[in-house]
Amino acid sequence: MKKRNIAILGATGSIGTQALDVVRAFPDFLEVSVLTASSNADLLIAQALEFKPAMVVIVHESGFRKVQDALKPAGIKVFAGEEALQEVVQLPRIDIVLNAIVGAAGLKPTVAAIQQRKDIALANKETLVVAGELIMDLVKKHDVSMLPVDSEHAAIFQCLMGEEQNPVEKIYLTASGGPFRGKDRAFLSTVTKSQALKHPNWVMGAKITIDSASLMNKGLEVIEAKWLFDLAAEQIDVIVHPQSIIHSIVQFLDGSMKAQMGLPDMKLPIQHALTYPLRKANDFERFNFLDYPSLTFEQADSQTFRNLNLAYRALQEGGDRPCVLNAANEVAVAAFLADRISFLEMSELIEATLRQQNWIQKPSLSELLAIDQQARLVAQNLIG
Ligand code: NAD
Ligand code: MG
């Protein structure tokens, strides 16, 4: 069988390193041609020496010399800078680009890859939050596959297989509830970043871990689902399921529901996206019902965790609102991680940024990139 050639953007992160675990499990089927990282030169070098890609990118120039010295003898081309991300995805032999960059920084490389007719395995949900409509138009225009890696969306995608003729009534995105499930605002007013960084079910990068604690992650996922599956906001519901075994659910017009389940292990949705439409045998741990005698469900507490409603509102208002929401959230999370604002102030900052930013109904890609930058400045000024 022809090998599949992949580019992994954000190779040194949580998704990136797990994607390389998946590649290790299928050496006869998956092959890596591009690896990129923001600044972790040592890990990028080790990955490149193991997987022998044709090219690597280290975004921060400060790491360039070190990576170059280490990889040049192995015949691996090394580039630095943000622009290089858009160039390396164009390498002709690449079949799939796995975008595992965190934040809106993932948008331009996604666009470049689609324009070169590469299939996309998308972990970078911010791509669709910022520019979902434009991206899905490009996916259609260039006739590429957009394969979700986010576990909830991978679940919905799998539930929809074979249902092409059947409209969806609604979907339920499951949420773990994060480390602060059941807590009230008095409790949240004093939580620290080390408490917020302890997720009960998943080990992930810092930004998505904070987003999970604040429910912004689920808000971003509602917007992501809207564009991936062409749904109205009213068709997307969130249900808290603390065990994270059911990864999401589709309900059809006859009331029948399909759910996709499995252990909370991101290697499963990563493998699904990289081997789609095949399901390849692996030796990852299997689910045991007796370890999970009860799977439980509860309503999301959107009074306490205001981000979920902020995201629904941004989606309903449309235009540039989700882009502003995302930019303000990225600034808010960075400020919380730097001990500059409190946990609850994150929602306040996002709401205040949305209030101060002008509204654009049908922004182009270049307008969205400018709005993203402006919203970051507004949010930073609000922090002071
Ligand atoms: P992470 O912080 O662990 O890794 C991010 C990767 O992107 C790193 O390799 C880093 O070097 C690179 N990067 C960071 N900033 C960059 C920039 N400005 N330009 C280019 N590269 C940059 O993050 P993660 O947890 O792996 O998450 C990656 C994406 O996947 C996010 O969009 C997240 O929401 C999504 N996601 C993650 C998980 C998970 O389990 N970690 C699950 C679902 C979705
Ligand atoms: Mg998810």
Side-chain angles (χ1 to χ4, degrees):
M1 191 179 297
K2 186 183 169 291
K3 274 197 176 184
R4 245 176 231 183
N5 208 296
I6 58 184
I8 303 181
L9 311 183
T12 54
S14 162
I15 293 290
T17 52
Q18 293 180 85
L20 288 172
D21 289 340
V22 172
V23 174
R24 267 188 209 102
F26 302 104
D28 300 332
F29 186 62
L30 298 174
E31 181 171 47
V32 176
S33 279
V34 168
L35 294 171
T36 83
S38 171
S39 57
N40 189 342
D42 293 328
L43 183 54
L44 182 65
I45 290 168
Q47 292 176 336
L49 291 175
E50 179 182 352
F51 290 93
K52 307 275 185 315
M55 300 175 176
V56 304
V57 177
I58 178 110
V59 175
H60 282 256
E61 314 270 350
S62 58
F64 176 72
R65 179 70 42 208
K66 186 175 191 183
V67 179
Q68 164 96 330
D69 289 347
L71 300 185
K72 206 175 174 185
I76 298 169
K77 286 197 185 130
V78 181
F79 302 93
E82 217 183 272
E83 302 292 309
L85 296 172
Q86 295 164 64
E87 279 152 34
V88 290
V89 296
Q90 305 189 18
L91 189 69
R93 73 173 84 142
I94 295 170
D95 301 306
I96 306 184
V97 174
L98 169 62
N99 189 339
I101 292 173
V102 58
L107 175 59
K108 284 201 265 184
T110 311
V111 171
I114 298 171
Q115 285 172 337
Q116 288 301 313
R117 303 211 54 223
K118 309 298 186 189
D119 289 335
I120 308 291
L122 190 72
N124 179 253
K125 63 191 84 185
E126 294 90 348
T127 282
L128 289 176
V129 173
V130 174
E133 190 167 6
L134 293 174
I135 291 289
M136 295 315 286
D137 284 349
L138 281 178
V139 163
K140 276 193 212 99
K141 180 175 164 199
H142 296 280
D143 192 26
V144 301
S145 298
M146 176 62 94
L147 301 157
V149 169
D150 213 350
S151 58
E152 296 77 2
H153 306 75
I156 301 286
F157 186 90
Q158 291 172 70
C159 293
L160 289 173
M161 283 163 71
E163 302 283 0
E164 291 73 19
Q165 308 180 40
N166 297 319
V168 167
E169 188 164 85
K170 67 185 292 187
I171 67 172
Y172 289 94
L173 296 180
T174 51
S176 69
F180 304 140
R181 180 172 63 90
K183 303 297 189 199
D184 59 15
R185 290 184 72 82
F187 179 91
L188 292 180
S189 65
T190 63
V191 295
T192 62
K193 68 181 172 196
S194 67
Q195 288 171 289
L197 284 169
K198 285 199 191 85
H199 195 278
N201 302 344
W202 305 92
V203 179
M204 311 180 283
K207 192 258 181 183
I208 184 176
T209 305
I210 301 302
D211 284 347
S212 299
S214 71
L215 285 204
M216 183 52 96
N217 183 49
K218 215 45 56 176
L220 300 179
E221 291 185 355
V222 167
I223 301 172
E224 181 186 13
K226 187 237 152 47
W227 297 116
L228 278 173
F229 306 114
D230 192 20
L231 300 169
E234 303 72 41
Q235 288 175 289
I236 308 169
D237 220 331
V238 170
I239 187 83
V240 173
H241 166 46
Q243 298 80 21
S244 297
I245 295 299
I246 294 183
H247 297 309
S248 280
I249 300 148
V250 177
Q251 180 174 310
F252 294 95
L253 296 182
D254 60 356
S256 180
M257 300 162 96
K258 279 166 80 173
Q260 188 267 343
M261 57 193 282
L263 287 169
D265 178 352
M266 286 308 295
K267 290 200 299 300
L268 297 177
I270 293 168
Q271 176 180 328
H272 184 264
L274 295 182
T275 65
Y276 176 81
L278 305 174
R279 290 195 187 269
K280 290 196 158 273
N282 62 31
D283 59 3
F284 304 159
E285 190 186 345
R286 296 316 194 229
F287 177 74
N288 179 349
F289 281 91
L290 303 183
D291 292 340
Y292 293 88
S294 68
L295 297 180
T296 61
F297 304 93
E298 52 196 70
Q299 192 160 24
D301 179 359
S302 54
Q303 297 301 315
T304 304
F305 298 91
R306 290 174 42 224
N307 283 346
L308 189 56
N309 284 343
L310 291 178
Y312 266 107
R313 204 198 305 159
L315 176 57
Q316 257 142 355
E317 291 176 352
D320 66 2
R321 300 292 82 189
C323 171
V324 174
L325 172 97
N326 178 73
N329 181 57
E330 288 192 31
V331 173
V333 171
F336 175 66
L337 286 173
D339 299 315
R340 294 187 65 206
I341 63 174
S342 70
F343 188 81
L344 289 177
E345 280 168 345
M346 287 194 288
S347 304
E348 288 164 25
L349 180 65
I350 296 161
E351 197 165 23
T353 307
L354 282 160
R355 262 199 308 271
Q356 287 206 13
Q357 275 284 110
N358 288 332
W359 243 96
I360 297 188
Q361 272 295 353
K362 271 246 167 215
S364 65
L365 190 62
S366 58
E367 282 171 326
L368 282 171
L369 293 168
I371 291 163
D372 172 76
Q373 291 303 315
Q374 283 161 18
R376 282 167 204 266
L377 285 179
V378 169
Q380 261 142 9
N381 285 336
L382 284 166
I383 296 171

